[in-house]
Amino acid sequence: MKATIQYVQERFRQFNELMFGGELPEVPIGLTHSKRMLGYCSCRKESSLFGLRTNRTFSLKINNLVDLPESCLEDIIIHEMIHLYIGVKRLDDLSAHGPLFRKMMTDLNSRFDRHISVSIRLDSEKRDQLARKDHKRQTIVAAVEFTDGRYGFKVLPKVRKTVMQFAKGMKQVPNVKSLRIVVTSNPFFYDYPRSGRLAVHIVNEETLNTALEGSAPCVLGALN
């Protein structure tokens, strides 16, 4: 079956009560057409130049490009709900799928006879199905690494002057270790506003690297 927003919302509420003690807040739920990710939990963290976080907004997105067995689709939803629980509770883990995530995953699999996994692999038929979905919308993204080990990104307008000004400004920030400007077609970035303001969305390194797979360096001469 293919995911629908209504289906995901219903399962979210069911699993929230059954598995998470009703402790998860209602969050925006959407669908993604990503060719790489079956689902993801997004946490938008607005950060000032010196690391002051002013807001944390969570959302879930589930892939609806391919037909999946219902049990597999449910496991994907629960997988992302574990991420949400860890994020909402501000729990520490070593990585996106670190020891805490794996402990919760193993516990839920045991108690509820689930088959949640760290990554769900598609068979060749479904990979081909995803590959046939051609997403040509390109996004300009600045990927930032900070000296304190944090990572972030900013979606920029396709305007050369704005991109150059943003890059120049970020390079002058003392706690910025590295900056890359790339072009990507990953729908992960579609819902983020485009602006040249010197602020970034903080994410973990694994999430950022996954979202930027297949990206290419931005050629400023190709922009308006």
Side-chain angles (χ1 to χ4, degrees), residues 109-151:
N109 282 339
S110 176
R111 289 197 293 129
F112 299 100
D113 193 27
R114 303 303 314 187
H115 297 87
I116 312 160
S117 63
V118 171
S119 64
I120 300 174
R121 298 182 181 274
L122 298 176
D123 58 33
S124 59
E125 179 182 353
K126 290 185 173 58
R127 286 199 301 270
D128 291 342
Q129 185 178 347
L130 281 176
R132 289 194 294 269
K133 303 295 182 178
D134 184 22
H135 297 286
K136 296 183 179 180
R137 176 178 168 182
Q138 293 187 325
T139 306
I140 308 299
V141 175
V144 183
E145 180 182 359
F146 294 94
T147 55
D148 60 6
R150 293 177 304 130
Y151 290 80

Side-chain angles (χ1 to χ4, degrees), residues 209-222:
N209 288 340
T210 299
L212 291 178
E213 286 182 1
S215 63
C218 177
V219 179
L220 293 178

Side-chain angles (χ1 to χ4, degrees), residues 100-205:
L100 177 58
F101 179 95
R102 292 171 185 267
K103 181 178 183 299
M104 293 182 63
M105 177 185 72
T106 300
D107 178 63
L108 293 177
N109 282 339
S110 176
R111 289 197 293 129
F112 299 100
D113 193 27
R114 303 303 314 187
H115 297 87
I116 312 160
S117 63
V118 171
S119 64
I120 300 174
R121 298 182 181 274
L122 298 176
D123 58 33
S124 59
E125 179 182 353
K126 290 185 173 58
R127 286 199 301 270
D128 291 342
Q129 185 178 347
L130 281 176
R132 289 194 294 269
K133 303 295 182 178
D134 184 22
H135 297 286
K136 296 183 179 180
R137 176 178 168 182
Q138 293 187 325
T139 306
I140 308 299
V141 175
V144 183
E145 180 182 359
F146 294 94
T147 55
D148 60 6
R150 293 177 304 130
Y151 290 80
F153 69 89
K154 179 72 173 182
V155 179
L156 298 168
K158 293 181 180 179
V159 179
R160 178 170 53 184
K161 182 178 179 180
T162 302
V163 174
M164 292 176 65
Q165 288 176 339
F166 179 86
K168 181 179 179 180
M170 289 302 294
K171 288 178 180 179
Q172 294 175 350
V173 177
N175 61 336
V176 170
K177 180 178 180 180
S178 66
L179 172 70
R180 291 183 294 147
I181 308 294
V182 301
V183 180
T184 175
S185 297
N186 193 333
F188 174 88
F189 299 103
Y190 287 0
D191 293 334
Y192 289 88
R194 302 182 182 189
S195 80
R197 189 164 67 92
L198 292 181
V200 299
H201 302 287
I202 301 298
V203 294
N204 63 61
E205 181 181 10

Side-chain angles (χ1 to χ4, degrees), residues 28-149:
I29 291 175
L31 304 175
T32 174
H33 302 301
S34 172
K35 291 183 284 187
R36 297 181 179 87
M37 294 181 288
L38 289 173
Y40 59 88
C41 174
S42 172
C43 177
R44 296 187 182 186
K45 302 176 185 176
E46 285 291 336
S47 173
S48 70
L49 295 182
F50 299 100
L52 178 62
R53 295 176 182 175
T54 58
N55 189 34
R56 291 164 60 94
T57 303
F58 294 93
S59 64
L60 297 184
K61 288 198 174 182
I62 303 297
N63 195 303
N64 73 333
L65 278 181
V66 295
D67 288 308
L68 295 169
E70 185 171 10
S71 61
C72 179
L73 182 55
E74 289 179 340
D75 287 341
I76 294 169
I77 296 170
I78 300 168
H79 176 117
E80 302 309 328
M81 292 175 73
I82 298 175
H83 284 304
L84 179 62
Y85 185 90
I86 293 173
V88 167
K89 296 294 185 180
R90 297 177 181 264
L91 303 175
D92 292 328
D93 206 355
L94 295 180
S95 65
H97 298 110
L100 177 58
F101 179 95
R102 292 171 185 267
K103 181 178 183 299
M104 293 182 63
M105 177 185 72
T106 300
D107 178 63
L108 293 177
N109 282 339
S110 176
R111 289 197 293 129
F112 299 100
D113 193 27
R114 303 303 314 187
H115 297 87
I116 312 160
S117 63
V118 171
S119 64
I120 300 174
R121 298 182 181 274
L122 298 176
D123 58 33
S124 59
E125 179 182 353
K126 290 185 173 58
R127 286 199 301 270
D128 291 342
Q129 185 178 347
L130 281 176
R132 289 194 294 269
K133 303 295 182 178
D134 184 22
H135 297 286
K136 296 183 179 180
R137 176 178 168 182
Q138 293 187 325
T139 306
I140 308 299
V141 175
V144 183
E145 180 182 359
F146 294 94
T147 55
D148 60 6

